[in-house]
Amino acid sequence: MALVDAPGIVHLGLGAFARAHLLPATQVAMAASGERHWGVLGVSLRHPDVRDALAPHGFRYTLALRDADDRGRPRERREAIEALRGVLVAPEDPGAVLDAIAAPATRIVSLTVTEKGYHHDPATRTLRRDDADLAHDLAHPDAPRTTLGVLAHGLARRRARGAGPVTLLSCDNLPANGDTLRGLLLAFAAQVDPALAGWIDAQCTFPNAMVDRIVPRSENPAVVAAEPFFDWAVEDRFAAGRPDWTAYGARSVPSAEPFEKLKLRMVNGTHSTIAWLAVVAGWATVDEAIAQPALRRTIEALMREEIEPTLPALPGLDLADYRARLLQRFANPALAHRTRQIAMDGSQKLPQRLLGTIADRLAAGASIERLALGVAAWIHFLRGVDEQGHAYPIDDPLAGVLADLRTHAEAAPDERSRVAVITGFAPVFGALGRAPAFIDAVARHTATLRTRGVRATLEP
Ligand code: CS2
């Protein structure tokens, strides 16, 4: 690989999202400041597809920002992305990935590995016990396959080489994603070597960040389609500098927490609710789903009545505008964002998207009727068959456990006890799963969904 400037950023998880978010922002930041050393070396943790498709083009690709104009006609703005300097495929050459993390030129290791890439119990954000992949990575320091293994063993090399401080930047949709990554990485690294954990704690920073841009999975790696909307609120805690991403519209903030809460609850909480209902009803894309008047009314009311009252105030934020704009983003006819894609990995998404909001509402003595519909929709979705009788796969790292829970639930005598079997699963539901008011509200909706279907459940 011929490198003009050694890349300053090593990015783990080279899905469409990173290619439509971190990459264009870094490119514009470099152009604005003239700092050429921030290029990105991508790391695919599983497949060679992206590397194979982009290598012949010098890792250049096109970002196509798509939406519709005021008259509903599709339009597109193209950006040529050249900030990707190369792609490593971890299973082919794990040592090269560890060396990249250890390289002195590397100042940021960023991540978009999705919720399940953290190998944690989402309810407690602690390392999953009995995780075979993590056990593998403890035993194979030269050939790790998990994100945490790659980071810990790469940082061990960095420490041994005296290459100095580095920032670990999570760009995943998790609450306090930096703090969460820090806690998990320190816990894993302590099992490798307590001194390594001490070094990481002293040398690395883990800024929290809220990321937002709707980017459907892309079939053609040379063109990534996304919405024009872009947001990124990043805490300014970098151990060895950062590009000035504000040149692309990012915000440098003292605390990402209020931004994360807003985004995870409003955007992702409603996105998941839409997706689970839509897959069962047979609405294939988000724009098709949100065009159903009853669903749109339900989602609008869910935001206004039950999510917004739980959000901290943010100076300059008008929630009514934010809500209207979000509904417009969901209605974007040019993305064809598959509801099945958003519906996947529900066990990893539910806590931060809906359950935290529900816990806050119950603590305030407020209604959770609409939020509980989202949870019921997930449970109903887990049946794996839509209202036209078509079966679909449950794509979830806990699919096996969930199938066992469902079998167990089917044997329960009534709707409430069936729901309680599922919500009793503590790694996802925590203590909330045993709260009677929560179980009652969810069971009312699962009963209606089961007997009357999605459309009738949504009608007032
Ligand atoms: C979506 C998100 O797939 C999903 O679960 O809810 O990827 C969503 O599109 C982004 O978070 C928007 O910023």
Side-chain angles (χ1 to χ4, degrees):
M1 194 173 33
L3 295 178
V4 186
D5 291 283
I9 300 176
V10 171
H11 184 81
L12 308 185
L14 208 49
F17 181 75
R19 283 177 283 139
H21 195 269
L22 174 83
L23 266 297
T26 301
Q27 168 159 315
V28 169
M30 282 197 292
S33 68
E35 294 180 317
R36 300 223 359 108
H37 57 269
W38 283 119
V40 178
L41 176 64
V43 176
S44 292
L45 291 162
R46 291 193 300 262
H47 311 292
D49 316 13
V50 173
R51 191 264 326 268
D52 292 350
L54 299 187
H57 310 287
F59 301 102
R60 285 184 289 273
Y61 62 92
T62 300
L63 173 63
L65 300 176
R66 294 181 183 156
D67 64 353
D69 66 16
D70 293 343
R71 296 164 63 187
R73 290 175 306 205
R75 62 183 174 187
E76 177 180 277
R77 195 175 77 237
R78 294 192 154 220
E79 295 178 6
I81 307 300
E82 299 176 349
L84 187 61
R85 298 277 187 263
V87 179
L88 300 175
V89 179
E92 285 177 11
D93 190 356
V97 177
L98 304 180
D99 284 340
I101 293 172
T106 300
R107 310 209 227 164
I108 296 172
V109 179
S110 50
L111 294 74
T112 47
V113 294
T114 81
E115 296 85 350
K116 63 173 173 262
Y118 291 77
H119 289 259
H120 68 321
D121 285 340
T124 55
R125 291 183 238 154
T126 51
L127 277 185
R128 271 175 76 170
R129 275 169 293 136
D130 310 323
D131 185 293
D133 292 320
L134 291 178
H136 169 276
D137 286 3
L138 283 176
H140 299 90
D142 294 327
R145 54 190 184 206
T146 68
T147 305
L148 295 175
V150 165
L151 288 175
H153 297 306
L155 291 170
R157 288 192 186 188
R158 190 174 183 91
R159 173 175 176 240
R161 291 174 196 173
V166 65
T167 300
L168 302 194
L169 179 62
S170 167
C171 301
D172 283 300
N173 283 315
L174 294 171
N177 52 10
D179 297 337
T180 301
L181 173 63
R182 178 177 173 277
L184 296 168
L185 183 61
L186 291 180
F188 181 80
Q191 295 176 43
V192 175
D193 173 2
L196 172 64
W199 183 89
I200 294 174
D201 199 17
Q203 298 288 323
C204 301
T205 59
F206 299 80
N208 296 305
M210 172 276 270
V211 293
D212 196 3
R213 174 169 260 178
I214 294 175
V215 189
R217 183 185 293 150
S218 86
E219 301 306 330
N220 169 13
V223 181
V224 181
E227 63 173 341
F229 180 94
F230 171 92
D231 202 1
W232 191 7
V234 199
E235 292 177 1
D236 202 1
R237 295 191 280 116
F238 286 75
R242 60 163 171 81
D244 183 11
W245 291 304
T246 61
Y248 194 75
R251 301 184 253 192
S252 186
V253 298
S255 163
E257 202 203 332
F259 297 93
E260 279 168 6
K261 226 178 216 173
L262 170 72
K263 196 271 174 167
L264 290 169
R265 292 183 173 190
M266 290 287 274
V267 180
N268 298 112
T270 57
H271 225 189
S272 286
T273 302
I274 293 168
W276 294 317
L277 291 167
V279 170
V280 175
W283 302 317
T285 62
V286 175
D287 62 300
E288 183 189 347
I290 206 69
Q292 312 295 324
L295 181 62
R296 190 185 171 101
R297 272 197 303 276
T298 300
I299 294 298
E300 207 265 340
L302 164 63
M303 292 196 249
R304 188 165 31 83
E305 293 169 12
E306 297 190 7
I307 301 178
E308 290 170 24
T310 72
L311 299 175
L314 266 171
L317 174 77
D318 179 332
L319 278 171
D321 279 357
Y322 187 92
R323 183 198 323 134
R325 180 141 192 220
L326 182 54
L327 287 167
Q328 209 176 10
R329 292 170 64 197
F330 288 161
N332 186 338
L335 289 179
H337 198 185
R338 319 285 306 168
T339 49
R340 280 221 198 150
Q341 185 196 333
I342 301 157
M344 67 189 277
D345 295 343
S347 70
Q348 311 298 299
K349 293 174 173 174
L350 204 52
Q352 62 274 18
R353 294 183 178 210
L354 291 171
L355 302 182
T357 322
I358 291 176
D360 285 358
R361 295 278 297 171
L362 287 178
S367 157
I368 57 163
E369 217 36 49
R370 298 181 192 281
L371 289 157
L373 173 63
V375 180
W378 180 62
I379 294 175
H380 192 58
F381 158 87
L382 290 177
R383 298 187 317 164
V385 47
D386 70 17
E387 290 178 352
Q388 288 75 46
H390 303 304
Y392 52 83
I394 303 302
D395 197 342
D396 192 298
L398 297 184
V401 179
L402 296 172
D404 289 348
L405 284 170
R406 276 186 33 76
T407 310
H408 189 70
E410 286 312 316
D414 53 57
E415 192 66 28
R416 200 184 175 285
S417 346
R418 281 195 284 275
V419 165
V421 170
I422 310 281
T423 64
F425 185 62
V428 170
F429 287 92
L432 176 68
R434 296 187 302 274
F438 172 65
I439 299 171
D440 288 340
V442 174
R444 276 196 294 278
H445 290 301
T446 50
T448 320
L449 285 168
R450 188 203 297 256
T451 52
R452 303 186 53 215
V454 171
R455 286 167 185 79
T457 302
L458 293 171
E459 290 302 339

